Amino acid sequence: MEDTITTAVPSPIPVLGFPKNLMPIGGAWVPAASGGRITVLNPATEEPIAQVPDGTIGDGLAALDAAAAAQSSWAGTPARERADILAATYRGIIERRDEFAALIVAEMGKPWPEAQAEVDYGAGFFRWFAESTNRLHLEGQYGLEPGGQYRIAVSKRPVGPSLLITPWNFPLAMGARKIAPALAAGCTTILKPAELTPLTSLLLARVMEEAGVPAGVVNVITTNNSPEVVAAIMADPRSRKVSFTGSTQVGRVLLTQAAQNIMNTSMELGGNAPLIVFDDADLETAVEGAMVAKLRNGGQSCIGANRVYVQNGIAAEFTRRFTEKMAAVKIGNGTEPDTELGPLVDTKQVLKVASLVEDAVANGARCLTGGHRPGGTGYFYPPTVLTNIPANAQIRTEEIFGPVAAIYAFETENEAITEANNTPYGLASYIFTKDLARALRVADAIDAGMTGINRGVVSNPAAPFGGTKASGLGREGGTEGLEAYQETKYTGIQL
Ligand code: NAD
């Protein structure tokens, strides 16, 4: 069932399949203590969709009380029972795929097929970690220490109540990628979604309740005051883990705060992915790969191709074909059937993307398509291609987070590697070539957590997602994603 993309598009007003104006804390759906609310807007129409509680510091601490109270019984729940709940969550999400996708389109703006693909990807974390959970209690070591005097036993245990903070660009998948492994490992959770896109997280919490998650194991706090609410939760020594996806700037703040209580941290931060096309690449594959890696989620993706490096022999033809495709992309509301590119998430994002393009062009870059904001309603920005980008343009170093491709020509393999690594970030990278030895050599030489070879999509629940340098600490998904929520316990045994 999960492989079928529904062709019918949703109504512009999504169904809210969870209690309105409330958030789930300790098994009850409650308003903010202050009575305050946040209005969620549709970025394609700029119209309000719904309201959610504007949670206070007190609400955040109530969520921590609930998570701390539920911790030992959840950790003591047999792994198979936890796995069954995760598997039921997977089925619950897939059964309500259209409802989730409609919410994602409404609050985030991505086109309908992309929203459905995100639902499948997000649900996939529950399936993957349900499968891993059953084996959990069988893992460990038992043996004689090298001197032959006593036994060493090593086992895993949950790290404890976990605070999970997510960005707006993948409203379901970013939460799923944290909640599923946390619950698999036996940790209780407080999810703090981005204030722009809280609705999908509330539906996920509802589906998890229906799947049998006990009270207090998944709490959601929606708030417009993230800095203070998060700081208060992190200052409490009962918080044992913070897993954050978002900007490097906020990641630094959280690492500093985590230092006070020596909290376990996972940080999925910003990116500046290079995409390298060698002369011997299959041109069609490279153009398609670059389109996907650039336009996924309208370019608002931490693994979006930020810098496209094309070898001189193929540069003109690649640029011509790629620009042709970018110029033909259909922009519109995600609810329209043929939309390929939705709006950006808000005005701030549009202004940031527009200013990077204007700065590059003012300094001498050539704009081959796009480059101007359309008038009218909605936070739209057109697919844009820039070449001849000068050394002083900001776009060379900043994360674009929009549908703008910056193309650079290069001559030698070493030059491409040096340029690719010339960034404080190290999240994703992409290489297009038919020469396998070169592909592996260049992949090894690029300092990034992930490399796609001849493909523009690398995310997979079974693979470790994450970055090096300023792109973060730790991995999500794969086996590493579960270890992120575990402590190692060693027992020395004298028989
Ligand atoms: P952001 O850092 O502004 O916000 C992310 C989350 O942190 C939101 O929930 C926000 O409310 C919260 N937040 C903001 N300030 C906070 C503070 N002082 N204390 C606690 N919480 C705070 O990022 P964004 O604009 O929502 O997302 C875009 C960024 O996220 C980009 O840089 C992108 O590369 C990155 N990102 C990374 C990954 C990854 O896996 N590495 C995935 C998606 C997005």
Side-chain angles (χ1 to χ4, degrees):
M1 177 182 177
E2 66 270 27
D3 294 322
T4 348
I5 298 286
T6 312
T7 47
V9 288
S11 107
I13 306 295
V15 175
L16 297 184
F18 51 85
K20 293 178 187 50
N21 307 323
L22 303 174
M23 56 191 167
I25 294 182
W29 287 74
V30 298
S34 63
R37 290 187 191 160
I38 307 170
T39 300
V40 183
L41 297 181
N42 180 326
T45 63
E46 301 180 37
E47 284 168 359
I49 311 164
Q51 291 193 318
V52 298
D54 185 2
T56 62
I57 291 175
D59 294 322
L61 294 175
L64 178 59
D65 289 343
Q71 178 57 50
S72 76
S73 69
W74 181 245
T77 301
R80 177 154 288 148
E81 267 180 53
R82 298 205 302 269
D84 286 347
I85 290 173
L86 294 177
T89 302
Y90 165 71
R91 290 191 301 274
I93 297 172
I94 294 298
E95 274 161 22
R96 293 166 86 162
R97 184 208 269 132
D98 284 357
E99 205 178 321
F100 272 103
L103 271 188
I104 294 171
V105 169
E107 67 177 348
M108 200 273 132
K110 64 183 69 174
W112 181 241
E114 277 197 54
Q116 289 200 316
E118 182 185 342
V119 178
D120 290 344
Y121 173 53
F125 286 97
F126 288 96
R127 177 158 68 169
W128 170 253
F129 286 109
E131 289 160 355
S132 322
T133 311
N134 278 326
R135 293 190 300 272
L136 257 186
H137 291 285
L138 300 175
E139 284 170 8
Q141 302 163 29
Y142 181 77
L144 260 183
E145 58 93 17
Q149 299 300 306
Y150 62 96
R151 261 78 177 169
I152 290 173
V154 181
S155 59
K156 299 285 183 184
R157 54 172 58 189
V159 68
S162 300
L163 174 61
L164 315 174
I165 306 172
T166 52
W168 44 262
N169 57 352
F170 290 85
L172 176 66
M174 296 299 98
R177 177 161 107 167
K178 298 182 191 302
I179 294 180
L183 265 58
C187 298
T188 59
T189 58
I190 303 164
L191 174 65
K192 200 225 67 75
E195 48 277 42
L196 293 174
T197 58
L199 303 175
T200 309
S201 298
L202 295 171
L203 180 58
L204 175 61
R206 185 50 143 190
V207 167
M208 296 203 74
E209 277 177 1
E210 289 167 3
V213 170
V217 173
V218 174
N219 307 281
V220 180
I221 171 118
T222 54
T223 179
N224 242 339
N225 185 14
S226 295
E228 287 185 325
V229 171
V230 164
I233 297 172
M234 289 180 68
D236 188 311
R238 293 173 298 169
S239 303
R240 294 315 314 142
K241 164 100 196 176
V242 59
S243 176
F244 172 73
T245 298
S247 59
T248 297
Q249 188 190 359
V250 173
R252 275 196 190 98
V253 172
L254 296 176
L255 282 169
T256 307
Q257 288 174 191
Q260 300 314 306
N261 282 324
I262 319 291
M263 284 173 78
N264 183 315
T265 58
S266 294
M267 295 281 143
E268 297 287 351
L269 308 177
N272 185 0
L275 183 145
I276 305 173
V277 183
F278 287 98
D279 280 346
D280 66 354
D282 179 82
L283 195 53
E284 210 45 50
T285 307
V287 170
E288 282 305 325
M291 288 295 290
V292 174
K294 182 66 257 179
L295 283 194
R296 175 192 304 114
N297 206 26
Q300 301 167 109
S301 161
C302 53
I303 54 170
N306 222 42
R307 300 169 290 148
V308 180
Y309 295 108
V310 192
Q311 204 162 14
N312 280 331
I314 205 175
E317 186 56 12
F318 174 92
T319 306
R320 189 186 65 73
R321 288 211 211 177
F322 179 74
T323 305
E324 217 172 81
K325 281 198 182 279
M326 287 284 273
V329 165
K330 170 87 175 48
I331 311 178
N333 189 332
T335 54
E336 288 156 20
D338 50 353
T339 292
E340 295 169 301
L341 176 66
L344 298 187
V345 78
D346 62 4
T347 311
K348 207 172 95 200
Q349 205 60 31
V350 176
L351 293 176
K352 188 196 144 202
V353 171
S355 98
L356 285 176
V357 172
E358 282 155 22
D359 168 76
V361 171
N363 281 294
R366 278 185 66 206
C367 181
L368 302 183
T369 186
H372 295 285
R373 288 159 61 192
T377 310
Y379 310 127
F380 291 96
Y381 197 87
T384 298
V385 179
L386 300 176
T387 57
N388 296 76
I389 298 158
N392 60 344
Q394 291 163 21
I395 204 163
R396 278 186 173 265
T397 48
E398 285 198 26
E399 189 179 22
I400 303 169
F401 240 57
V404 177
I407 301 184
Y408 308 88
F410 71 90
E411 184 59 39
T412 66
E413 184 178 309
N414 278 344
E415 198 186 328
I417 293 168
T418 305
E419 282 298 317
N421 284 335
N422 186 16
T423 169
Y425 297 100
L427 194 56
S429 53
Y430 307 90
I431 300 165
F432 289 84
T433 172
K434 286 192 198 131
D435 179 342
L436 182 61
R438 164 184 269 167
L440 295 177
R441 190 167 63 231
V442 177
D444 275 353
I446 293 182
D447 189 357
M450 298 171 282
T451 301
I453 294 177
N454 294 322
R455 54 180 296 125
V457 179
V458 291
S459 305
N460 189 308
F465 187 106
T468 61
K469 302 193 280 183
S471 290
L473 300 168
R475 297 292 181 269
E476 292 188 312
T479 49
E480 293 82 352
L482 188 57
E483 286 161 8
Y485 293 90
Q486 292 178 315
E487 288 284 10
T488 299
K489 170 77 180 181
Y490 153 56
T491 312
I493 306 166
Q494 188 70 59
L495 295 179

